[in-house]
Amino acid sequence: MKILITSGGTFEKIDSVRKITNMASGRLGALIADEFAKCGESSPQIFYVCGESAIKPTASGVDIIEISSVKDLLYELTVLFEKHKFDAVIHAMAVSDYTVQKVIQPDGTGYESSEITSENLRENKISSELDELIIVMKKTPKIIRMIKTVQPDTVLVGFKLLSGVTDDELRLAGYNLLVKNNCDFVLANDLTQIEGANHRGLLIAPDSNYTSFSTKQEIACGIVSSVLKSIQN
Amino acid sequence: MKILITSGGTFEKIDSVRKITNMASGRLGALIADEFAKCGESSPQIFYVCGESAIKPTASGVDIIEISSVKDLLYELTVLFEKHKFDAVIHAMAVSDYTVQKVIQPDGTGYESSEITSENLRENKISSELDELIIVMKKTPKIIRMIKTVQPDTVLVGFKLLSGVTDDELRLAGYNLLVKNNCDFVLANDLTQIEGANHRGLLIAPDSNYTSFSTKQEIACGIVSSVLKSIQN
């Protein structure tokens, strides 16, 4: 059995020291990896693709692949999908929806993000003395969209994070993500209902039924048992 | 003896989940705190103000204060400076030079960053479906500038990070920072000369003489011994 888990957040560079990221810690992804590692009988091979500063699983034997940007993520997943056929993909990573397109200084000069390379670091550390700075961001491709296209038989779990919505809205948004990306399950959660280990989450199935959890550990166990059942079917 | 160390990096919110930060890990600040903690005789009281995800000192008894934004940092330092008279301030934190002023969506709508509060989280998670997004950033006040104004007798160590410059440029930039902010020492370093524990740094004194170090541990020891000598004078 081969399981792929993505976890933590991506980073998009503004210049050689500044970056845009998100609040994802990777804690839930690490718990899910640890839960899968407990499935002794099926001895799963677990791959954990995570953002640089993400929390790592404590279980031994997990293959850990660190990435930084959305571009890196796409590359590493492509490599993995070429080498392995995954029984399940748990896509828990908070992938940046936007990447830096260009940076514009008050005098109108600036640079495209593609110019930020290790060779020209010097030109691309923005001065700390400008009054204002404009960052133009463009949409990144949806990584989740390609997973079932490339590996149609995998059990895919997607994640939807919203902030301060009603339960109906949360379920609807989760279900829409499931349909759009051909997921087998979607974990829908609300930022305002997450604090430390307490973490409310709804695991939505394709028939739009759902199970509700109230801690990160419960979510991890719920996802693993649902995925294992789907794999066995 | 009372020592204040700032370490790690600040975070500036774009919305309820996205933020702008920098590459600062806090590793050097933590080493400096641990070096000060070894000064058994003078039994220093150490305060460590750091970004949320910064590496913490391993020494026991260090007062740790976590902050997020430049605004938080300014507030916590003001509180500390009111309560304590510091023998030295080691300002190693990478403070964001810019904060988010407003976010503009392709249809021209948007919001000011001051509108991002816990009460209106919902309105302020940017949709992931926009083609483009513009972030306007404005300059933050220089925190280092206020330190000697408020505590003129403290020994102040500033930090200057550049990227891919010559040694002359590095020394000059470090010295300029020292003069401008009335520092007793400035540690000038270049991003391209930092990799893991290897970390080239020049500790510049007010007479413009400097000492060169080549690892984080050497820098920490060098700063602590120079500061202790200055305090005793």
Side-chain angles (χ1 to χ4, degrees):
Chain A
M1 190 163 71
K2 290 187 181 185
I3 306 289
L4 173 63
I5 297 159
T6 69
S7 179
T10 55
F11 297 91
E12 298 301 316
K13 278 194 174 187
I14 300 169
D15 69 1
S16 54
V17 294
R18 300 172 178 94
K19 59 189 175 182
I20 294 183
T21 183
N22 53 59
M23 312 296 179
S25 65
R27 188 166 282 121
L28 183 56
L31 282 176
I32 295 169
D34 285 334
E35 274 307 305
F36 271 113
K38 288 182 195 161
C39 308
E41 281 175 54
S42 41
S43 63
Q45 190 181 356
I46 303 168
F47 295 82
Y48 188 80
V49 175
C50 64
E52 286 163 4
S53 58
I55 293 170
K56 310 290 187 298
T58 53
S60 62
V62 176
D63 272 294
I64 292 175
I65 297 143
E66 288 196 353
I67 59 99
S68 177
S69 65
V70 176
K71 203 180 264 183
D72 295 344
L73 174 64
L74 182 59
Y75 181 83
E76 292 300 336
L77 291 186
T78 306
V79 169
L80 284 169
F81 288 146
E82 214 173 83
K83 275 194 202 160
H84 305 279
K85 194 175 171 301
F86 291 101
D87 296 280
V89 178
I90 322 299
H91 186 42
M93 182 178 264
V95 180
S96 179
D97 298 308
Y98 299 97
T99 185
V100 177
Q101 181 172 27
K102 55 186 171 187
V103 176
I104 304 168
Q105 299 170 144
D107 64 358
T109 64
Y111 55 85
E112 302 279 322
S113 68
S114 56
E115 296 168 30
I116 311 175
T117 64
S118 48
E119 284 72 44
N120 66 356
L121 278 176
R122 181 174 177 180
E123 290 79 40
N124 290 323
K125 186 183 169 197
I126 300 160
S127 159
S128 54
E129 300 296 339
L130 309 170
D131 285 332
E132 203 183 69
L133 195 68
I134 292 172
I135 302 171
V136 180
M137 307 205 62
K138 64 175 176 196
K139 211 173 147 189
T140 55
K142 297 274 176 221
I143 299 296
I144 192 172
R145 223 159 269 177
M146 69 100 151
I147 298 177
K148 278 276 197 169
T149 315
V150 178
Q151 302 226 337
D153 299 330
T154 201
V155 175
L156 175 61
V157 183
F159 284 71
K160 183 77 186 173
L161 177 66
L162 291 171
S163 182
V165 297
T166 66
D167 252 37
D168 281 350
E169 288 171 303
L170 188 60
R171 279 200 305 274
L172 184 65
Y175 186 71
N176 285 344
L177 181 82
L178 182 147
V179 172
K180 220 172 187 173
N181 300 293
N182 205 0
C183 297
D184 296 274
F185 299 97
V186 163
L187 194 282
N189 49 174
D190 188 308
L191 200 65
T192 61
Q193 298 177 334
I194 303 175
E195 211 187 337
N198 291 325
H199 188 144
R200 186 156 179 271
L202 309 176
L203 189 62
I204 302 166
D207 59 7
S208 90
N209 280 334
Y210 67 95
T211 324
S212 173
F213 304 107
S214 56
T215 66
K216 281 193 170 45
Q217 188 59 51
E218 274 182 32
I219 294 175
C221 293
I223 288 177
V224 171
S225 74
S226 297
V227 166
L228 289 177
K229 259 182 243 162
S230 292
I231 293 174
Q232 280 146 18
N233 284 342
Chain B
M1 190 162 74
K2 290 188 180 183
I3 306 290
L4 172 63
I5 297 159
T6 69
S7 179
T10 55
F11 297 91
E12 299 300 317
K13 277 193 175 188
I14 300 169
D15 69 1
S16 54
V17 293
R18 300 173 178 94
K19 60 190 174 181
I20 294 183
T21 184
N22 54 58
M23 312 293 178
S25 66
R27 188 165 283 121
L28 183 56
L31 282 176
I32 295 170
D34 285 333
E35 274 307 305
F36 271 112
K38 288 181 194 162
C39 308
E41 282 176 52
S42 43
S43 61
Q45 190 181 356
I46 303 168
F47 295 82
Y48 188 80
V49 176
C50 65
E52 287 163 3
S53 58
I55 292 170
K56 310 290 187 297
T58 52
S60 62
V62 176
D63 272 295
I64 293 175
I65 299 142
E66 288 196 352
I67 59 99
S68 177
S69 66
V70 177
K71 202 179 263 181
D72 295 344
L73 175 64
L74 182 59
Y75 181 82
E76 293 300 336
L77 291 186
T78 305
V79 169
L80 284 169
F81 287 147
E82 213 172 85
K83 276 194 202 159
H84 306 279
K85 194 176 171 299
F86 291 102
D87 296 279
V89 178
I90 322 299
H91 187 43
M93 181 178 265
V95 180
S96 179
D97 298 309
Y98 299 97
T99 185
V100 177
Q101 181 172 27
K102 56 186 171 187
V103 176
I104 305 168
Q105 298 170 146
D107 64 358
T109 65
Y111 55 83
E112 301 279 321
S113 68
S114 56
E115 297 168 29
I116 311 176
T117 64
S118 47
E119 284 72 44
N120 65 357
L121 278 176
R122 181 175 176 182
E123 290 80 38
N124 291 322
K125 187 183 168 196
I126 301 161
S127 159
S128 54
E129 300 296 339
L130 310 170
D131 284 332
E132 201 182 70
L133 195 68
I134 292 172
I135 302 172
V136 180
M137 307 205 61
K138 64 177 175 196
K139 210 173 147 189
T140 55
K142 295 275 176 222
I143 299 296
I144 192 171
R145 222 159 269 177
M146 69 100 150
I147 298 178
K148 278 277 195 167
T149 315
V150 178
Q151 301 227 336
D153 298 331
T154 201
V155 175
L156 175 60
V157 183
F159 284 70
K160 184 76 188 174
L161 177 67
L162 291 172
S163 181
V165 297
T166 67
D167 253 38
D168 281 350
E169 288 172 303
L170 188 61
R171 279 200 305 273
L172 184 65
Y175 187 72
N176 284 345
L177 182 82
L178 183 148
V179 172
K180 220 172 185 174
N181 301 292
N182 205 1
C183 297
D184 297 273
F185 299 98
V186 163
L187 194 281
N189 50 173
D190 187 308
L191 200 64
T192 60
Q193 299 177 333
I194 302 175
E195 211 187 336
N198 291 325
H199 188 144
R200 186 156 179 272
L202 309 177
L203 189 62
I204 301 167
D207 58 8
S208 90
N209 279 333
Y210 68 94
T211 324
S212 172
F213 305 107
S214 55
T215 66
K216 281 194 169 47
Q217 188 58 51
E218 275 183 32
I219 293 175
C221 294
I223 287 177
V224 171
S225 74
S226 298
V227 166
L228 289 176
K229 258 181 245 164
S230 292
I231 293 175
Q232 279 146 18
N233 283 342

